[in-house]
mmCIF file of all heavy atoms in Angstrom:
data_model
loop_
_atom_site.group_PDB
_atom_site.id
_atom_site.type_symbol
_atom_site.label_atom_id
_atom_site.label_comp_id
_atom_site.label_asym_id
_atom_site.label_seq_id
_atom_site.Cartn_x
_atom_site.Cartn_y
_atom_site.Cartn_z
ATOM 1 N N GLU A 145 0.713 7.180 -0.285
ATOM 2 C CA GLU A 145 1.190 7.219 -1.667
ATOM 3 C C GLU A 145 2.637 7.727 -1.724
ATOM 4 O O GLU A 145 3.459 7.173 -2.459
ATOM 5 C CB GLU A 145 0.267 8.110 -2.522
ATOM 6 C CG GLU A 145 -1.188 7.662 -2.564
ATOM 7 C CD GLU A 145 -1.413 6.364 -3.334
ATOM 8 O OE1 GLU A 145 -0.448 5.775 -3.833
ATOM 9 O OE2 GLU A 145 -2.580 5.914 -3.389
ATOM 10 N N GLU A 176 3.078 5.986 -8.217
ATOM 11 C CA GLU A 176 2.711 6.339 -6.840
ATOM 12 C C GLU A 176 2.756 7.869 -6.671
ATOM 13 O O GLU A 176 1.948 8.441 -5.930
ATOM 14 C CB GLU A 176 3.595 5.641 -5.816
ATOM 15 C CG GLU A 176 3.556 4.117 -5.881
ATOM 16 C CD GLU A 176 2.225 3.471 -5.493
ATOM 17 O OE1 GLU A 176 1.155 4.130 -5.504
ATOM 18 O OE2 GLU A 176 2.247 2.255 -5.186
ATOM 19 N N HIS A 179 -0.373 9.180 -7.965
ATOM 20 C CA HIS A 179 -1.441 8.992 -6.963
ATOM 21 C C HIS A 179 -1.333 10.059 -5.861
ATOM 22 O O HIS A 179 -2.331 10.612 -5.420
ATOM 23 C CB HIS A 179 -1.333 7.613 -6.301
ATOM 24 C CG HIS A 179 -1.554 6.446 -7.242
ATOM 25 N ND1 HIS A 179 -1.462 5.142 -6.830
ATOM 26 C CD2 HIS A 179 -1.879 6.426 -8.567
ATOM 27 C CE1 HIS A 179 -1.698 4.330 -7.867
ATOM 28 N NE2 HIS A 179 -1.963 5.096 -8.929
ATOM 29 N N GLU A 262 -3.635 -0.205 -7.393
ATOM 30 C CA GLU A 262 -2.950 -0.896 -6.276
ATOM 31 C C GLU A 262 -3.077 -2.424 -6.425
ATOM 32 O O GLU A 262 -2.185 -3.163 -6.028
ATOM 33 C CB GLU A 262 -3.517 -0.464 -4.924
ATOM 34 C CG GLU A 262 -3.585 1.051 -4.653
ATOM 35 C CD GLU A 262 -2.279 1.837 -4.864
ATOM 36 O OE1 GLU A 262 -1.231 1.233 -5.186
ATOM 37 O OE2 GLU A 262 -2.332 3.074 -4.761
ATOM 38 N N HIS A 265 -0.283 -3.416 -8.439
ATOM 39 C CA HIS A 265 0.956 -3.354 -7.676
ATOM 40 C C HIS A 265 1.104 -4.600 -6.775
ATOM 41 O O HIS A 265 2.221 -5.105 -6.581
ATOM 42 C CB HIS A 265 1.023 -2.082 -6.835
ATOM 43 C CG HIS A 265 0.951 -0.826 -7.651
ATOM 44 N ND1 HIS A 265 0.712 0.405 -7.102
ATOM 45 C CD2 HIS A 265 1.109 -0.613 -8.978
ATOM 46 C CE1 HIS A 265 0.712 1.331 -8.055
ATOM 47 N NE2 HIS A 265 0.951 0.724 -9.199
HETATM 48 FE FE1 LIG B 629 -0.716 4.165 -5.008
#
Side-chain angles (χ1 to χ4, degrees):
E145 301 291 0
E176 301 293 19
H179 296 178
E262 308 308 356
H265 300 165

